Amino acid sequence: GGGGGAVGGAVGGAADGHWLPRLRARLSSSLQASEGLRERLGGEACLTSGSLAMALDTGGALAALSTAEEERRRVFASRRRLLDELDAMSPQPSEEEVLESGSCFRCRSDWGKEGALCAHCKREGLYDAYFYSLFTHRRQRQVEVAAVRGGIADSAADPSRDAGAMRGNVGEAFLEDAPLLRLLSALSGWLNSQAAAEAAGAAAAQAA
């Protein structure tokens, strides 16, 4: 949905030729534009609290833009660290790595495994750091996973005996774009509306 588009367009754009420098130049050259954007951003839900809201309150639209650019650079760095770690993993897992994955005490705990932490779980913190720089969720829901006995789900199974037995797994519900993505979406929308208004004004002037 909106998150995927924002990642590709707002966050994932190349540094050279990205629209943020163009927006900065526009705001720096026009006090009216800067104040207009500040007023619009004041009504955005993503700017009701946090560092972005503080920057907007104290320094206006340009300060909020600077904060967004800094956060965007942190997101890029977080993604780079994650991709580097994933690239360093074996493209063809060895028998030992497969065994490690199958006995990991964290991701295989539903099956009663108590082995060493697997390579994927060791990198989970990097994944979470990147994921939660892009998305948040409004609430969590509790998901009950039935015990498995003989390959058949059985809610009456004995949890002390059966692998995967009745445990509450926390599932994330209602994922939303993180404040950075919502701010970048608001900024790009405003910039597009300004360009459209200028084009309409130019066309009207030419017709006159």
Side-chain angles (χ1 to χ4, degrees):
V7 173
V11 172
D16 294 335
H18 196 272
W19 56 268
L20 286 176
R22 300 200 301 275
L23 175 58
R24 173 175 293 282
R26 181 178 182 84
L27 295 178
S28 299
S29 63
S30 172
L31 179 60
Q32 181 180 359
S34 182
E35 288 301 316
L37 179 57
R38 178 175 185 168
E39 182 177 345
R40 174 167 175 172
L41 292 179
E44 293 289 332
C46 59
L47 289 172
T48 56
S49 62
S51 60
L52 294 173
M54 184 179 299
L56 182 66
D57 288 340
T58 59
L62 273 172
L65 177 58
S66 294
T67 302
E69 288 175 319
E70 292 173 5
E71 180 62 24
R72 180 172 173 268
R73 285 190 287 270
R74 285 194 289 270
V75 170
F76 274 127
S78 178
R79 182 176 69 178
R80 183 71 268 159
R81 286 192 294 271
L82 173 61
L83 292 179
D84 286 346
E85 284 292 325
L86 293 177
D87 286 341
M89 296 179 68
S90 304
Q92 295 294 330
S94 65
E95 184 176 336
E96 181 181 351
E97 289 170 322
V98 171
L99 180 62
E100 179 188 66
S101 176
S103 61
C104 175
F105 75 89
R106 177 180 294 173
C107 63
R108 307 297 180 179
S109 60
D110 283 356
W111 288 269
K113 301 300 183 178
E114 298 179 349
L117 199 65
C118 71
H120 289 96
C121 285
K122 289 175 182 176
R123 292 161 172 81
E124 186 176 11
L126 292 173
Y127 169 81
D128 287 343
Y130 177 54
F131 183 88
Y132 287 110
S133 68
L134 300 177
F135 301 103
T136 60
H137 54 273
R138 292 199 300 269
R139 70 177 179 83
Q140 291 181 326
R141 60 185 176 185
Q142 197 76 8
V143 179
E144 291 296 332
V145 179
V148 176
R149 176 185 293 154
I152 301 174
D154 180 6
S155 60
D158 181 357
S160 65
R161 243 181 14 210
D162 296 295
M166 295 299 292
R167 62 183 73 242
N169 286 349
V170 176
E172 294 162 1
F174 301 106
L175 282 176
E176 298 178 327
D177 288 347
L180 172 64
L181 293 189
R182 283 181 276 161
L183 173 60
L184 291 176
S185 178
L187 290 174
S188 63
W190 180 86
L191 189 60
N192 288 336
S193 69
Q194 294 296 298
E198 288 182 357
Q206 186 175 8

